[in-house]
Structure formats: structure tokens, C-alpha cells
Amino acid sequence: LPPLFATTQEDIENSDLAEAFTSLQYDDPPAILMEQNKKKGNESFIKGKKNLAKNVQYYRDAVNQYYEAFFWAEKVEPVEEGYSPPVGDDGIRLDDIPFYTENELNSYKSTLCTNAATAHMQIKNWGFVRNQSSKALEFNKDNIKAWYRLAKAHQMLQNWEEAGDAIDSGLKVEKENKELLTIQKILEKKVRKARLERQKRERARAERVAKVKEVWKHCKEKNISLGRVSLVSAVTDEEDENEDADDENCWHHHHPHTGVIAQRSMELEGEWTWPCMFVYPSHKQSDFVKNFAESEMLAMRMAQVFPEIGETEETTMHWDFNNEFQCGNLAIYFEVYGTEKDDIIHPESVERLKDQAATMKFYEASRALKGDEGHEMEQFAKLIERKHLHIQRKKWKKKHGSLWAKPDPNDVVRVHPAATLNDILADKRLVIPNFMVTFVLFPENHPAHEKFLKEHKCIGIVNPENLQ
């Protein structure tokens, strides 16, 4: 097929005239255009240096010309080592097109990126300086100017540890480089502090990993199921701004907590304790217990928080106007989650954590979204959680047509006050969302209790082990 009628690159390559046809795409060969644009970039940079008015447009022109030179450099075909250009009978070259081996071409590309970084430095585009310097080092690790510019960029961006790494790498190439030694002396204390902080973060993360692994192991041994909710309520910034007021409704009773997880208590001789949330929907109140021992009886804790009172006495809760919150007058429930037979769950429902990796990922994301790991990690975790929420929504819409097609309210299980936390954890119907055992409490004769049982089917009761 003649190249003129080719419709694909493969057709051109299969043609006998492929090389000649391709050369018609450019007025000059890529190698010449590459060198011409580099020369123009150098001239623009020099004009910028000489310009007394400090017109930064010269540097912008230089950047664009270096970029164009790099574009053409990508199209230059390297020659083999020892290549000799064709010559005529008189021994003179038949053309004046420059040629480069692969190493020479990579060095040239590295120089172009370094020059672009230098031009960006003049207009304080430090992010571009970092990017172009890093790109230059991809082609030539021995480019000492690129190492200096990379260190300088990280200094101005206040990335102290990255600046230290660039300085150390550059000094391996040239031990006595004055520019790198000067910046090393300036940043020495900040780099050391940044590295110590990173080591501290790594140790803390290793400790967290060990703790989560221990919790997961304990749950597997006792057949305890863990669950999670979506940590974000929107998949875009615009949606997020419009739904801030609806966060509590979206998360129901499972708003992400302070990061506390189950742990062994040294005060209780290594017994496991759990964070517990007690929710009182009738009065829109709640209590959080940081360490609830597995052997502890629910009634004992309730007696401390809601003691029985005499006829003329009042409860200590300022919101309990009718003195209904007394230990013997409370009905205690937990909701049943994760009854779906497949992986398609409503985004507002509790999703089971199926393995240790998913558990660790969820815990780290919840910490990052609280800002514990800095702003960048917070934004990264938000993107990951938004993607997770988007996939959940997409699956649910595909199966049910709309997010408004919500599942029926969860079934509930009533808890006998004399049951221990261990008795409750042993119930296979329990799924612990967000590492918190969550209970819902109502005064026995309150209208909200009656309404709750109309919406949520009670499917059983957890009795103390000695009554089962």
C-alpha cells in the first residue's frame, strides 16, 4: 500500500517508502529543530538576564522553547555506537543532520529539562522547577545541576526531607560541589528534624498496625464481625458543600469516632476492652465509653450512669425532664447489619470488613480524614473514600435503579441488662461498626420506643450466659 493512502501507522511502517514519507511531516529533521529551539531558549534566557526592567516574559519564552526542543528530542531516533554518517566520493558528508547515540540523546534531554528548570527558577515557579529537575534526572542521574535545582525547589516548597535527599544524592555525584554544600549547611537542622519526625511517624504507624492486627486476630478467634460506614457523604466538592448539614442523617448512629479501638487493659490483667456508644434517640443524646470490659455486666454500667432514684428525686441528666432514664426502666438493643447476600449494599448501610487488609485501610483512612497525618494525607484519604462511595452508589443504582430505593430498616436484637459484653459479642448477629459496639436505649414506655419497634423488627434477645 503506498504511504499516501495509508490510514494507520502500521501501514506506513510496512511501506518501502516509510522513512521518506515520514520525513515529509517536518520542514526540517527533528534533530535540527531540537537544536534550533534549544538555541532560541538560551537566547531568550540571556535576554532575560540582561533586561534591566526584569521582564519575566523572556523567561517564559525560554521555558516554552526548551519544551519545544524536548518535544523534538523525543522524535529523534538514536544511532548505534560507532555509527558513521554517509559520505560522498569526495569524503564529505552527504548531509549536515546531527546524530546522537542513545546515551548522548538522554544527556541532551536531561540538559533541556535542567534549562527549563533554571528558567522556572527565575520566575519562582518552584513546583515546575521540582518537576523539570526530577525529569532531567530520569535521563541522567549524574546531572549535578539538576540535583541542585531539585534541592533548591524542595527548600522553597519547605519539603525539608526531600531537599536533604536531593543534596545527599548530588554530593555522591560531586563531593565538593559548592552550591550543594552551601544549601546543605543552611538546611542541616531542618532536614535532621524532618527525618526524625518521619521516623517517629513510621514507628507510630508500626505500632498502630500491630494493634489492628491484634484486634483482628482476637475477632477471628471469637467470631466477632467488624464493619464500616462510608467516611464521606459526597463524591464531589460541590455535593459536599450542599450536604454538610445532613452528615448526621447520612451516618445514622455511626459517625466516625476518635480512633479508639479495642485493646487489652493492663489494669484488668490483659482483659479486652471495647469502645462503646450508647445512643438515646428519644432525646437525641448519646454517651461514649472508651473502655468497656468484655466481662463487665451491662446493668452495672447502666446503674452507674442511670441510677435508680426515689419518687421525690430527679435524674442527673438535664435533658431527662420526666425522669425516665433509670437503669430498670431502659430497653437496650443493637441493630443487625450485613444481612445482604452479595457485595451490593446501600451507601448508608454498614459494610462488613472481610479481611485484615480492609480493616487496616479503613482505620488508617479514618485517622487521615481527622487530619492526624497532615493535610496532604487527609486529601488523599478523601479521594480514596469518595471513590469507594462512588463505586457503592454505582452498584446500588445498577441493581435497584435509584439511591432512593433504600433497604428496609435493620432488624434489632434486645439485650438483657444482666448480659455481659462478652455475651453480646458472642451473638453472631452482631456487627461492630467503626470499631465501636453501638447500643440503642429507650425508656420502656416512651412513644419513641413504640415507634422504633414498629420500624425495626425485634428478632431475638441476648440473655446472660447462665440464663441461656
Side-chain angles (χ1 to χ4, degrees):
L1 181 69
L4 186 62
F5 301 102
T7 56
T8 66
Q9 185 66 29
E10 185 179 0
D11 291 339
I12 294 177
E13 292 174 356
N14 292 334
S15 169
D16 294 336
L17 301 175
E19 184 176 349
F21 184 75
T22 302
S23 66
L24 295 177
Q25 297 179 55
Y26 319 118
D27 294 333
D28 291 306
I32 292 178
L33 293 170
M34 173 186 73
E35 293 192 346
Q36 288 176 350
N37 280 282
K38 181 190 176 186
K39 183 179 179 181
K40 290 178 182 178
N42 292 342
E43 291 171 352
S44 296
F45 186 87
I46 292 171
K47 288 179 181 177
K49 279 288 189 180
K50 292 181 178 180
N51 184 258
L52 298 178
K54 297 182 179 180
N55 188 345
V56 298
Q57 186 59 46
Y58 289 114
Y59 297 119
R60 294 195 180 104
D61 291 342
V63 166
N64 291 331
Q65 285 152 355
Y66 289 136
Y67 283 172
E68 188 169 353
F70 185 86
F71 170 82
W72 292 114
E74 292 281 77
K75 298 186 178 300
V76 175
E77 292 292 334
V79 299
E80 298 291 335
E81 294 287 347
Y83 170 80
S84 297
V87 295
D89 296 337
D90 55 0
I92 301 175
R93 284 186 57 180
L94 297 177
D95 59 55
D96 58 352
I97 300 174
F99 59 90
Y100 301 88
T101 64
E102 186 172 359
N103 288 336
E104 291 171 342
L105 188 58
N106 284 338
S107 180
Y108 201 103
K109 291 177 182 178
S110 182
T111 300
L112 290 173
C113 294
T114 306
N115 289 357
T118 306
H120 277 301
M121 286 179 69
Q122 301 303 316
I123 47 181
K124 303 187 187 309
N125 287 339
W126 298 110
F128 287 103
V129 176
R130 175 197 58 200
N131 297 343
Q132 287 299 312
S133 299
S134 299
K135 194 172 182 180
L137 292 167
E138 291 177 9
F139 295 104
N140 182 9
K141 290 291 184 182
D142 295 333
N143 188 334
I144 193 66
K145 292 183 178 180
W147 283 119
Y148 169 72
R149 283 155 181 69
L150 181 61
K152 187 66 178 179
H154 282 305
Q155 177 193 11
M156 302 309 294
L157 294 170
Q158 298 187 6
N159 300 329
W160 311 122
E161 189 173 6
E162 290 84 349
D165 293 341
I167 292 168
D168 292 345
S169 298
L171 290 175
K172 288 180 181 178
V173 177
E174 188 179 317
K175 293 182 180 180
E176 303 301 325
N177 184 274
K178 293 182 179 180
E179 291 178 317
L180 285 174
L181 290 172
T182 300
I183 196 174
Q184 183 187 50
K185 187 175 181 179
I186 294 172
L187 300 182
E188 185 177 2
K189 291 182 179 179
K190 291 181 178 179
V191 171
R192 186 187 303 115
K193 182 179 178 181
R195 285 172 174 169
L196 289 174
E197 289 177 350
R198 174 182 53 79
Q199 292 170 4
K200 184 178 178 181
R201 290 195 302 271
E202 289 176 350
R203 285 194 297 269
R205 188 178 189 284
E207 291 173 0
R208 294 197 305 271
V209 169
K211 288 180 180 179
V212 174
K213 284 183 176 180
E214 190 176 15
V215 171
W216 181 258
K217 181 180 178 182
H218 176 65
C219 291
K220 293 299 289 182
E221 290 174 350
K222 301 194 70 171
N223 292 319
I224 300 172
S225 296
L226 299 176
R228 59 156 292 169
V229 296
S230 177
L231 295 174
V232 294
S233 59
V235 296
T236 63
D237 290 335
E238 293 77 11
E239 186 182 357
D240 206 12
E241 291 173 1
N242 295 331
E243 294 191 2
D244 281 347
D246 297 329
D247 281 355
E248 188 65 28
N249 294 331
C250 169
W251 277 308
H252 194 36
H253 303 314
H254 315 300
H255 196 285
H257 63 102
T258 57
V260 180
I261 61 175
Q263 59 183 347
R264 291 184 182 274
S265 172
M266 296 301 101
E267 297 177 358
L268 300 175
E269 299 181 352
E271 182 180 0
W272 280 90
T273 63
W274 287 81
C276 293
M277 177 72 78
F278 295 88
V279 183
Y280 321 125
S282 58
H283 290 67
K284 296 183 179 179
Q285 300 291 329
S286 64
D287 280 316
F288 175 69
V289 178
K290 185 176 180 179
N291 297 301
F292 198 119
E294 290 187 351
S295 63
E296 189 174 354
M297 188 183 296
L298 201 58
M300 298 298 291
R301 180 71 69 163
M302 292 296 97
Q304 294 176 6
V305 181
F306 306 116
E308 297 291 334
I309 61 174
E311 293 183 1
T312 59
E313 297 177 315
E314 294 184 355
T315 60
T316 57
M317 284 67 66
H318 66 276
W319 41 265
D320 184 17
F321 301 111
N322 297 321
N323 298 320
E324 297 170 295
F325 276 77
Q326 301 179 48
C327 180
N329 187 44
L330 296 175
I332 309 169
Y333 301 91
F334 66 77
E335 295 187 56
V336 179
Y337 311 106
T339 57
E340 297 87 350
K341 295 181 180 179
D342 53 31
D343 292 332
I344 302 176
I345 66 167
H346 193 274
E348 295 177 14
S349 298
V350 174
E351 175 186 359
R352 285 179 183 263
L353 292 169
K354 296 182 179 180
D355 53 45
Q356 181 176 285
T359 305
M360 176 60 67
K361 183 178 179 181
F362 171 71
Y363 180 69
E364 287 295 303
S366 66
R367 290 188 69 262
L369 283 171
K370 286 167 63 265
D372 291 354
E373 297 297 319
H375 180 69
E376 288 188 7
M377 285 302 298
E378 180 183 356
Q379 294 303 311
F380 179 74
K382 182 182 286 188
L383 291 174
I384 296 297
E385 283 298 310
R386 281 181 172 179
K387 181 178 180 180
H388 180 83
L389 177 61
H390 174 72
I391 293 172
Q392 277 189 319
R393 287 180 175 183
K394 189 175 180 180
K395 288 181 178 179
W396 184 266
K397 286 181 180 178
K398 184 176 181 180
K399 183 175 181 180
H400 299 279
S402 171
L403 290 176
W404 292 103
K406 296 185 178 182
D408 295 332
N410 296 317
D411 295 337
V412 295
V413 174
R414 185 155 181 170
V415 180
H416 193 290
T420 64
L421 183 57
N422 203 37
D423 296 328
I424 300 166
L425 295 175
D427 194 296
K428 293 183 179 180
R429 295 166 292 191
L430 175 69
V431 177
I432 302 174
N434 292 6
F435 303 102
M436 282 193 299
V437 184
T438 306
F439 298 105
V440 185
L441 283 72
F442 291 94
E444 197 71 65
N445 299 317
H446 198 283
H449 185 202
E450 181 180 352
K451 180 182 178 183
F452 180 78
L453 290 178
K454 286 182 179 179
E455 296 175 352
H456 302 263
K457 180 182 178 181
C458 184
I459 59 174
I461 183 170
V462 175
N463 286 307
E465 186 177 7
N466 57 1
L467 294 181
Q468 293 177 356

